[in-house]
Structures are given as C-alpha cells and as structure tokens.
Amino acid sequence: MQLKIMPKKKRLSAGRVPLILFLCQTISALEVPLDPKLLEDLVQPPTITHQSPKDYIIDPRENIVIQCEAKGKPPPSFSWTRNGTHFDIDKDPLVTMKPDSGTLIINIMSEGKAETYEGVYQCTARNERGAAISNNIVIRPSRSPLWTKEKLEPITLQNGQPLVLPCRPPIGLPPAIIFWMDNSFQRLPQSERVSQGLNGDLYFSNVLPEDTREDYICYARFNHTQTIQQKQPISLKVISVDELNDTIAANLSDTEFYGAKSSRERPPTFLTPEGNASHKEELRGNVLSLECIAEGLPTPLIYWIKEDGTLPTNRTVYRNFQKTLQIIQVSEADSGNYQCIAKNALGAIHHTISVTVKAAPYWIMAPQNLVLSPGEDGTLICRANGNPKPRISWLTNGVPIEIAPDDPSRRIDGDTIIFSNVQERSSAVYQCNASNEYGYLLANAFVNVLAEPPRILTSANTLYQVIANRPAFLDCAFFGSPLPTIEWFKGAKGSALHEDIYVFHENGTLEIPVAQKDNTGTYTCVARNKLGTAKNEVHVEVKDPTRIIEQPEYAVVQRGSTVSFECRVKHDHTLIATVTWLKDNGELPNDERFTVAKDHLVVTDVRDDDGGTYTCVANTTLDDVSASAVLSVVDVPNPPFDLELTSQLDTSVQLSWTPGDDNNSPITKFIIEYEDAMHEAGLWHHQAEVSGTQTTAQLKLSPYVNYSFRVMAENSIGRSLPSEASEQYQTKAAEPDKNPTAVEGLGSEPDNLVITWKPLNGFESNGPGLQYKVSWRQKDGDDEWTSVVVANVSKYIVSGTPTFVPYLIKVQALNVVGFAPEPAVVMGHSGEDLPMVAPGNVRVNVVNSTLAEVHWDPVPLKSIRGHLQGYRIYYWKAQSSSQRNRRHIEKKILTFQGSKTHGMLPGLEPFSHYTLNVRVVNGKGEGPASPDRAFSTPEGVPSAPSSLKIVNPTLDSLTLEWDPPSHPNGLLTEYTLKYQPINSTHELGPLIDLKIPANKTRWTLKNLNFSTRYKFYFYAQTSVGPGSQITEEAVTTVDEAMASRQVDIATQGWFIGLMCAVALLILILLIVCFIRRNKGGKYPVKEKEDAHADPEIQPMKEDDGTFGEYRLFSFVSSASF
C-alpha cells in the first residue's frame, strides 16, 4: 500500500474547489509529515534540496562555490566526482566542504586559477537508506577577450547607398551585449533607416549626409565580469555624385570606395538574411527571434506573416522598428514558415524563414517519493517528452540499475519501476535520467519502507471557530504505515459520521460543507491500522456572520462640500469587529479632512482627487465583509483655453477652443461673449451659445468693431470662469444698418417741437463720424420735409411752431461711409398750452350721506390746446361759524382720466355743506374752473359718545356723566342707556332700557341694589338711527349698618385668617373670570363696541373710472366765510 498522503476527495461540491485544491497542493508536498517528534523517530533516504545550475559560469576573480544541500535521516554524508572520477577534496588544500553540507568552496582568491577547476562536477548524498545525486554541474570561468587589432579604412559613400558597418565582437563567455556609441559615449540614434542587427552589425538602408562622422564605435559589454570592450572607431563620409568623382580622382589609392551605384530611388533588397529562404532552429521555451533588414530608397518598411497560420497574439513582439519578430515561450506548434516582406514605393520583396522548434527533455511526470509499509506495492513513473524523443534510463543509489544489486521486489517496465511486496531492505533512492541531444533531466525519488502505528499530528483540543453558512475544515493530520483508516465521531458517545452530511478527505480532514449553529460541539478523529489506534478531539464553535446592515451609497457632491458615507455593522457578540475604510483599495489619505466615526466616514472640503471608490471593510478574527460606494466630485467646468480665430471675413469669423475639464459633470453648453475694445473696452456682451459637444462656432460680426472673444462652459453645477480673451479682430467700417429708436416729438413750449431719440451706441455706428439726419413736416399740410444733419446727440428743437399741431418726424443715422436705411415715420405734436374753456353745466346728485355723483359737459377739443389728460374736481366742506376766521381751507381733488363727463365723490361727511368746481386738464396743466356748485349731504348715524364716566356711587344709586359724540352726523334726538347687574358668579341679570333726552350730559340711576356691579351700554341717536355704543362698569357701595354689625366678628383672629383665605380665593377667581370675560365669558351681550357702518354707503362696483384719483390740498383763503 502506498503511504503518500494525497487529499483525494470522495465528494466535493463545485463551490469548494479552490480551497480543497489548495489543501491538495499543500499536503502533496509532504513526502513524510514534518512533525519534529515524528522525524526524530523515522528514517528517511537522502533528498537533494539545493544545487548549483547545470551550466555554471563563474567569475574568475572570486572564489568558486559549488552548492549541494540535502536532507535525510540519519543526516547524509557527501562526496563529489569531477569529470566522472572521484574528487578527493582532502588532497587539494584550496578545496573545502561546508560543515553539515556538501557545498564546495574553492579558494582561488589567494592562489590558483579558475581554469584549473573547469570540468563536470557531481555531488552524492548518502545515508543507510540510499544515495541521491545532483545534476552534472559544468564549471566554466567567464571570459571577456579583447578585440583583435585591425586597421579600419575610412569609408566614403554616395548619398542614398546602403551600408553595413561590421562589429564582429570577440567571443566571450557568456556572449557579450553589443551596442554602438560615439566618442562621447552617447548611443547612436537608430530608426527605420539605421538599425543594429542581432549579430551586432550596424545596417543603413540608405545613407544621408548627416550620417557623416568619424566615431562609429561598436562596444561589447560582458556583464559577468562587468567589463566593456571597444572596437576601433569607423569613419564614414557621405558625399554627392560630383563630390564623389573628385574624391575618387584624388584618393582612390588609399580610400575604400563603396559605390558604383547612383543615388536614384530603387526597390528593396535584403541586407540580411541572404537569398529568398533560410532556416532557423530554436528550442522549446526559448524566445524565437527572426530578423530581416532591407536596403532601398526610399527606406523600406518590414511586415511579417506566418504561412498557413497566424502569429500568436499574446506572445508576439516586434522590435527594432519591426525588423525583428520575437515569439516568447516558443513551442512545437510555432514551427512553420514565416515570411518577412520589405516594401517601398518602388516595389516589394519577401524572404521565407523555415522554423523548426526542437525540445530538450521536459517532464510529463517526474517520479515522486514513495513511503510504503512492508508487503505493500507501488510504482515509480518517469515520463518525459522532447524533440527528438528523450531516452529514459534508471539508476539506483547513483549506480545504473543494470549493474546495481538485484532486488526481487522491483521490476522495470520502460519508464516505470513496479514494486511488489516490498521489505525494509527495498528502501533506496532511484534516479531517472531523460536525455536527448539538446539536454537532460535528472530526478531523485526514494522508496522508504516503514512499519509504524498510527500517529495523529494535529494538536489535541484544537478549537475551530467558524462562521455560519460557510464550510468548516477539521484537521486530522496523521501518519502510519500501513496507511491508517480515519473515522470521525461527534460528542462523547456519538456514532460515526457519514457522508450524507459531511465530506471526508483522505488526508484526514473532515469538511462540514455548510456550518450551522447545531454543528457546535466536540468532534473525535480516530486513526487505525493493524499496528494500533490513535485518536484526537477538536472543538467547533459556529458564530453568526458579520453583516453590513447599512451600506455606503453612491454620492455626487460639489467640490468644497461635505460628504458622509454610512457603514453600520452587525456581528456575533462574542467577536470583536473592527471597521476599516479604504479608498480605491488603499489606505485613506493622511488628511484631517477625513474623519472616521463609529458608523460613518465624513469627508469635508471635498477635492477633485477625493473622487473614487470608498470601501467599508468590517473584520473579525473569523470573517470580513465589505461594501463600496463611488464618490463623484463635481464642480463647474474649468475654463476653456487655446482660443483661435480662423476663416476671418468682414461679417463673420470662426472661433475654436479647447474645453477645460468638465469636473465629472458633462458640459451642456458654451457661452461666447465679446468685448468691443474700440467703443466699450472692458465691457463684455453676450454673443452666442452652442451645445456642450461643440468646440467651434461661426460668429456673425458687425462692422467697425475691434472684437475680442471669450468662452465660458456650463454644466449642471454652474458656469465656469471665462477663458482668456482671444486675439483681437477689427472689422471694416460700413454704413449704419439701423436707425435710432424711441423717436418722439413733443413740445416743451407752446411754440416749439422737441424731437428726441435713443442714439446708436458705438457698436451700432458701423463706422466713424456718426451723425443723424432729422426731418419733419406738418401732418395736415402739403409742406416739404425740412431736414437738418446734427452730430451724435439725442434731440433737436424746432422753434416757431403753431401750438399743438401734429407733425410727421423721422431720424436717419449716417456715418462717413453712408446712410442707414430709410427710417420709419412717427407722429408727434408741437408744444401744448393751457386749456381755454371751463367745463359747463356742472350738476351734483347726492346719492347718500357720504357719496355724491357729479356730471358736466365736455369742453370743445380745440379749446383744450393739448393732449386731453382728463377732468379734475375740486371740492371742500363749508366752514362753520367757529371756523370762518381761519384762512386755510382744506380742499380735496379727484382726477378722472380721459374724456369722462361724470364721476363719484366718496368719503363725504353726513349732514355737511360742500362746494365744488370742475376743470379740464392737458399735458400743460389745468384750464379755468367752472362756476362753484354747492350741495349738502343728509343726516347719518352718530359716532359713539366721546366719553362715559360713573361718579358719586351710593348704596342704591350711580350717576353717569358723558360727552356728546364728536361726529353727530345730524341732529341728536335722544340717548339710549341699557344696563344690567352682574352677580357674584359673573352671570348677567335682566337688561333694563332707558331713554334720555338729547340735551342731557348727566343722569342719576336710583333704587339700585347695594354692593352690586352693573354693566352699562350707552349710545346716541339721530333721525336716521342709533350710532356706535360705549360701555362701562360700576359698583354700588356697602350697607354701613351691616358693616357695623360685623365689627365684633371682624376683630376675632380666627375670622381675620378665614377672611384672608377667602380673599385670596376670590382674587384667584377674579383673575380667572377676568381672563374668561376678555375671551367672551358667559356674557350674552357683546362687549366689543359695534363698529356700525354707514348704512347709506353701499358696496362699490369695480372701479370704472367713476371714482377719480383722490388728493387733499390746503388752500389759503382770501376772504372769510
């Protein structure tokens, strides 16, 4: 039975493949379990662990170190062969072996030469179980020979001819790296025309005069010895045909001459390789390098194809301006015909390279160590491939198996050794050698026959903490020979676990595919073979998974603002969770603007480089979860730049620009502005807008403007700063294309006409010398136009005009180039004068006590002598006898717009005498007043009495005093007094109504209840009706006899205390009642005074002009009224 521990799985779901494969790789590397206590007891044949490379090039200036390290139990001893014979290191004082190692150190630094120790070395590591051998290690010292001395003649060459400068470096070990430089150690520039070949030569497809120089130097660098060797400089002179003829005549005897050919253009020919076809061999795994360099004029270009196939995309590299094709990690499939094509304008040629890929031996299956128990069977397989097919040979303990001691338990079958019924004496180290003409492979594999009872190598009572709903792997690393069987149990008395729920691995591991809370507990692993039994307990705890219950969300913020990302985590209460924030999978910037709190990350003053992916990672010792959100930092765009004016015409220009960064918010439009440096320097005006996808705009221009342009970009966040101004562009002058606007004709005096207009600005002038041609004539006449040309002003006054006559007016712009188009004609009027006639037949109709309607006849239009503005009514109240000595009369004015012949006078006082007159109004002012008309308003209801006081309260009477209403609005007929008592609970008693003559201002109420509060309602009346009321309250006095009877009680202390308590309670009740009364309380009668509206004033309809504009004037009277 084979004892090698392999994790061969009996049942495995797809979701767990990667983890189990990892376990397989780990365990398959264990030839014998590496438990230290186990290794102390187990014997093991030697294994080579480290050795020098097969082809070992040494530095002759340093000591030679040939490595050979091995392990085994007992520790192996080491020996060496050199060139196939035993190398006795004890006889050479320069050679020592490191302690507990097979590594040789040859001290050539003090004496000796490296060449003395060239040869083929092989190390053998041996113990009682067998012998392992190293590869054949070929030791060679590195070499960096000098160039051979040679005389290099100068080269003279006709312009356009091809040239190859040979390098031919000395053969070193390892081969040198070739490059061309000048005397200043500057690399010579290379191109499609001039390049270095794989052999180190410098190829010119055609030479040019600038190739002339005297220091073309080929250098060879030997990296192993860190030396550089230099070839003699080569001189090259490139001349024209005429110069060439002169040079030939003068120097033909001592100058190498290249060039019987002319410098005319020619199709390509190959400089390397030669001919139409060639062959190339390469070894599998190397880099295949194919080269084609061609000459021609113009310089040819090189192309590559593979006949009957395609070039491998991921492994193909072009170098040296496509003159070299490289295929990395070449394989047998890359064999075939490759064609290089050289092409210029005059033709093309091709060269076919037949590639054959050979292969040194490579492993298909290298032999692996075997650990067997007595009586078991096993196999060693050594399988390799190559081109040609490698030969397989076996050795045992370093000796060819054909001459090794016979072992009845083994049988060789080609590349396989079959072992049957092995015994302890069968232990040995076997070597497999696979070789062909391109190399060899050597592998050691031991057969170790052991008899061991089971041992469990996993630590006892190991605690496995796992996350719910994830797989759990319980280790049971074991060793035994024969290979033990493994069983798992749960709990102290549990039965063996079965495969319906669990997965068993042959390395002893128990897998719980989806761990749940009920999987918590103790598990026992039992290992058995015929030599004994071993067991081990492990413990499982299943924890709740860590979850992010509030994840960060995608955010778009403007530069300079603040953003917050949330990350709330829920985890198993027995675990400690840590939350880490990452930006773009790296650490957060070390910046105080980033603040990490318990559940969120805050970034203040956001910058452009803060944009990216923010990840919240929640970690426990068992699991981790993460959630990410993207932060996009947006802002207004950066200003456009690189403004350029093209297609410059008299009336248009094309403006182009380069957009600035849109700062993560697409540009929606560009705004173009212009500055007129000639007329309004420093002032920018809107020119045009274009979509955010455009970077050019065709702009219409006006004449005689010195333009500069700037561009602003706009996105959803806002508008960028303006770009830098473009260059200035001045357009030619032209006649004006428009005339002044807002042309008007109005007289300022009765005998003039003032013509005004809004002048053109400098931008609109279209040229120098801006003036205006002003023309006018009477509308209702046959006069010709009168014209005058004025400077760049905004008005012209025509004098000596009739009063208020209509005129036709026009104003035309002109400059030094010409006139603007014919202007539009507008109508104006000469100056107005005051109206001459007053309105007649003025009539007044009194509607009610506060409203009157006035009618009048219109005045003749000719007498208005201007634009009719409307009619104005002056009215005033007649003064009483007490006021007649006053000199100021308060007059009110109402203006009625337009041609109305009637109007309403609101807000009159009832029972009053008024006087009015009417005047017509034009733009100059008012006309004469109509004769005064007097009218009177009827009575109305009075206002409330001016005051009401209660005086002289007695036990059963109260006296009321009052002042009459300030506005009686008629003759008072009587007063009405209403009153009612208020009891101790603030309820109102019966209401008593009393009429009082109008000439009274005092009244006494008798037979009232003592110590009682009364409420009074008092108002005046005219014949029209009652006016507004005034209210008051009063209390009658206390009965003195009753008070005297209470003297004796009142002097008692207990009574005083009781009364104080009652008084306090009453005070509280009074406050409450006072509050309730102010809110309405239980009073059935309204305490608020009724604001009686004038019953004679009815609601007005919407203003139809009947009510004019109201004004109040105070006039000084010249006589007493």
Side-chain angles (χ1 to χ4, degrees), residues 7 131 182 320 397 492 505 549 584 780 807 811 816 835 975 1071:
D182 59 17
N320 197 18
N397 296 325
H505 299 274
I549 58 177
D584 297 328
D780 300 323
Y807 277 84
V811 181
V816 296
Y975 292 100
I1071 292 172

Side-chain angles (χ1 to χ4, degrees), residues 551-555 564-566 581-584 611-616 626-632:
Q551 299 186 356
E553 296 181 348
Y554 173 74
S564 176
F565 291 108
E566 302 298 322
W581 286 91
L582 305 176
K583 179 180 183 295
D584 297 328
T613 300
Y614 288 81
T615 303
C616 162
S626 64
S628 298
V630 174
L631 171 62
S632 293

Side-chain angles (χ1 to χ4, degrees), residues 140-317:
R140 294 185 294 169
S142 63
R143 298 180 179 87
S144 52
L146 298 174
W147 248 285
T148 57
K149 294 291 184 180
E150 57 180 332
K151 183 178 180 182
L152 300 177
E153 298 293 340
I155 300 173
T156 300
L157 200 62
Q158 182 183 348
N159 180 23
Q161 292 303 303
L163 173 65
V164 180
L165 296 183
C167 180
R168 294 191 287 270
I171 299 174
L173 186 68
I177 298 173
I178 306 301
F179 51 92
W180 288 79
M181 295 196 297
D182 59 17
N183 277 328
S184 302
F185 296 99
Q186 300 296 316
R187 286 187 180 268
L188 296 177
Q190 299 191 22
S191 64
E192 293 173 339
R193 184 179 64 85
V194 182
S195 60
Q196 177 184 314
L198 293 175
N199 63 354
D201 294 348
L202 189 63
Y203 292 85
F204 294 77
S205 294
N206 49 77
V207 294
L208 298 175
E210 57 260 34
D211 296 327
T212 299
R213 63 189 313 140
E214 297 180 350
D215 55 351
Y216 284 94
I217 304 174
C218 182
Y219 289 85
R221 183 174 68 206
F222 298 92
N223 284 343
H224 215 77
T225 58
Q226 299 180 346
T227 58
I228 296 178
Q229 304 293 353
Q230 171 183 333
K231 184 183 177 74
Q232 290 294 317
I234 302 174
S235 174
L236 170 64
K237 183 177 182 181
V238 179
I239 60 177
S240 66
V241 175
D242 294 338
E243 292 174 322
L244 181 62
N245 292 333
D246 295 341
T247 302
I248 292 173
N251 303 306
L252 185 60
S253 61
D254 58 359
T255 301
E256 183 178 357
F257 173 59
Y258 280 65
K261 297 181 182 178
S262 70
S263 60
R264 292 179 299 179
E265 293 185 345
R266 59 190 180 276
T269 57
F270 283 111
L271 297 174
T272 184
E274 298 178 351
N276 295 326
S278 58
H279 183 262
K280 174 81 171 181
E281 277 191 5
E282 191 56 79
L283 289 181
R284 181 181 187 271
N286 289 351
V287 176
L288 171 66
S289 296
L290 305 179
E291 180 181 58
C292 283
I293 301 177
E295 64 91 4
L297 190 66
T299 301
L301 298 179
I302 304 296
Y303 304 92
W304 292 89
I305 60 172
K306 182 181 181 184
E307 297 178 3
D308 301 325
T310 57
L311 295 172
T313 305
N314 297 329
R315 295 185 292 115
T316 301
V317 180

Side-chain angles (χ1 to χ4, degrees), residues 623-809:
D623 68 342
D624 62 82
V625 291
S626 64
S628 298
V630 174
L631 171 62
S632 293
V633 181
V634 298
D635 205 349
V636 298
N638 291 350
F641 56 95
D642 287 347
L643 273 65
E644 183 180 6
L645 297 177
T646 56
S647 304
Q648 298 176 354
L649 304 175
D650 289 344
T651 59
S652 67
V653 69
Q654 179 169 289
L655 174 66
S656 60
W657 61 89
T658 301
D661 193 330
D662 65 5
N663 291 320
N664 298 320
S665 179
I667 295 173
T668 55
K669 66 179 177 181
F670 292 99
I671 299 95
I672 304 168
E673 294 182 337
Y674 72 88
E675 176 197 31
D676 180 3
M678 185 184 304
H679 303 107
E680 295 177 309
L683 193 62
W684 291 89
H685 303 274
H686 183 272
Q687 171 77 24
E689 292 183 4
V690 298
S691 104
T693 59
Q694 290 184 229
T695 56
T696 61
Q698 194 73 24
L699 306 178
K700 293 183 178 180
L701 306 180
S702 294
Y704 197 57
V705 176
N706 192 4
Y707 281 99
S708 292
F709 299 97
R710 69 183 186 184
V711 184
M712 292 172 286
E714 188 174 293
N715 62 11
S716 61
I717 308 303
R719 185 173 294 184
S720 74
L721 294 173
S723 68
E724 294 290 330
S726 71
E727 61 179 304
Q728 291 187 340
Y729 177 56
Q730 183 168 341
T731 53
K732 296 179 180 178
E735 65 273 6
D737 53 15
K738 62 188 299 187
N739 285 303
T741 57
V743 177
E744 289 185 345
L746 296 173
S748 60
E749 298 295 336
D751 60 349
N752 73 5
L753 171 65
V754 180
I755 302 174
T756 60
W757 60 90
K758 181 181 178 183
L760 302 182
N761 58 35
F763 179 82
E764 297 169 331
S765 65
N766 288 4
L770 178 63
Q771 293 178 302
Y772 300 100
K773 179 183 177 183
V774 184
S775 304
W776 68 91
R777 70 179 179 86
Q778 287 192 26
K779 178 177 180 295
D780 300 323
D782 298 329
D783 295 345
E784 295 294 328
W785 288 94
T786 302
S787 300
V788 62
V789 175
V790 298
N792 187 12
V793 293
S794 62
K795 74 175 180 179
Y796 180 76
I797 300 176
V798 180
S799 301
T801 61
T803 300
F804 196 64
V805 173
Y807 277 84
L808 298 180
I809 304 165

Side-chain angles (χ1 to χ4, degrees), residues 456-475:
I456 294 179
L457 308 179
T458 300
S459 300
N461 295 313
T462 300
L463 174 62
Y464 293 92
Q465 292 181 323
V466 297
I467 296 297
N469 300 318
R470 294 189 181 181
F473 296 90
L474 313 185
D475 294 331

